[in-house]
Amino acid sequence: MKVLRAKSAGFCWGVERAIEITRDYAHQGRKPVYTDGPLIHNRQMMEKLSEEGIREVGDYQSRANIAVNPAAPGENPVMVVRAHGISPERRNYLKSLGMDFKDATCPDVGIIAGKIRLHAKKGYATIIFGDKNHPEAIGLLGYTEGRGYCITSKADIDALPALERVCMVSQSTMFMHEFAELSEYARQKFKEVLVFDTICQATKDRQTDVVALARQGAQAIVVIGGHHSANTVKLASLARLQNLPTYHIETAAELSPEEMKKFTVIGVTAGASTPEFLISEVCAKLEAL
Ligand code: SF4
């Protein structure tokens, strides 16, 4: 079987950076190394990190209080902030836990937070094109000074109160074409709307590459990555929009050889939090068919 692998498949720079920061602590013998919720949205990678002494605490959305044992003699704990970022309130909470604190928020998310904070201070309301239950959007809402709204549709925009001055941004992993459409809609609806396209370049590259796989002749697309990973879920839905059979899997074990044998050319891509070992395994399994 011919396997077309997307150029951008796998870790983005923000995920690589967060892993490196966290691993550095573990490899220096620092312990315990905690992460506030999953550092990245990939279960297999989090399991690998846990074997290296990195311990996920808290909850998926980084909202719950954290119960950790007081440091034992010789321990020097550190709390690492996830790549998705957190709200200022959560930051204060983590700092109050009395252990070292290291921010591994992706700088691209930090830029979004900065834009929101700057405009919120000037009195702008914030519209975030994003999933209100996703940790990144939850964190970003914390910068809006209580005037932030998450939307994913025109109906959501219609349901907003009358807003005078609006700063509109996107969660980093959303669809480019949807953001363009919804920001245009918001512009028509409200008096002053400043639009910042904050979908990160890593997301844009991965979305562009899925469309390219279809053009290169892929008869089906395999998308590898966590079922909780927003950018992976988006890649799978973009692949379906190309009218191609699409298989969103986390590991090679989920691939059915019988199903795959229906095709002679398969496109493979992976979310920004999918480690290389999972991608290589899938490609090898497909190539062997
Ligand atoms: S997907 Fe984008 S925003 Fe998210 S960690 Fe990667 S580079 Fe950063």
Side-chain angles (χ1 to χ4, degrees), residues 129 174-184 199 207 211 234 237-238 241-242:
F129 172 44
M174 303 300 275
F175 279 144
M176 300 181 268
H177 62 278
E178 288 184 355
F179 182 62
E181 191 184 337
L182 290 174
S183 54
E184 189 47 43
I199 297 169
Q207 291 180 9
V211 178
K234 290 277 171 209
S237 88
L238 188 58
L241 283 176
Q242 313 310 306

Side-chain angles (χ1 to χ4, degrees), residues 189-260:
K189 181 130 185 137
F190 303 112
K191 202 163 153 202
E192 183 188 343
V193 182
L194 299 179
V195 175
F196 299 99
D197 174 0
T198 51
I199 297 169
C200 71
Q201 193 56 46
T203 295
K204 289 177 176 172
D205 290 345
R206 280 156 188 73
Q207 291 180 9
T208 306
D209 285 354
V210 166
V211 178
L213 288 177
R215 292 212 181 108
Q216 286 161 23
Q219 298 159 342
I221 307 269
V222 173
V223 182
I224 315 158
H227 290 299
H228 277 309
S229 156
N231 76 87
T232 311
V233 170
K234 290 277 171 209
L235 286 181
S237 88
L238 188 58
R240 286 184 199 105
L241 283 176
Q242 313 310 306
N243 291 322
L244 291 176
T246 299
Y247 304 87
H248 178 176
I249 57 168
E250 289 198 351
T251 69
E254 291 167 57
L255 272 183
S256 152
E258 291 67 42
E259 181 71 14
M260 292 299 117

Side-chain angles (χ1 to χ4, degrees), residues 93-114:
Y93 168 71
L94 293 180
K95 285 185 172 172
S96 77
L97 293 176
M99 63 180 90
D100 279 355
F101 170 91
K102 181 69 186 174
D103 192 351
T105 302
C106 173
D108 281 348
V109 177
I111 288 171
I112 310 176

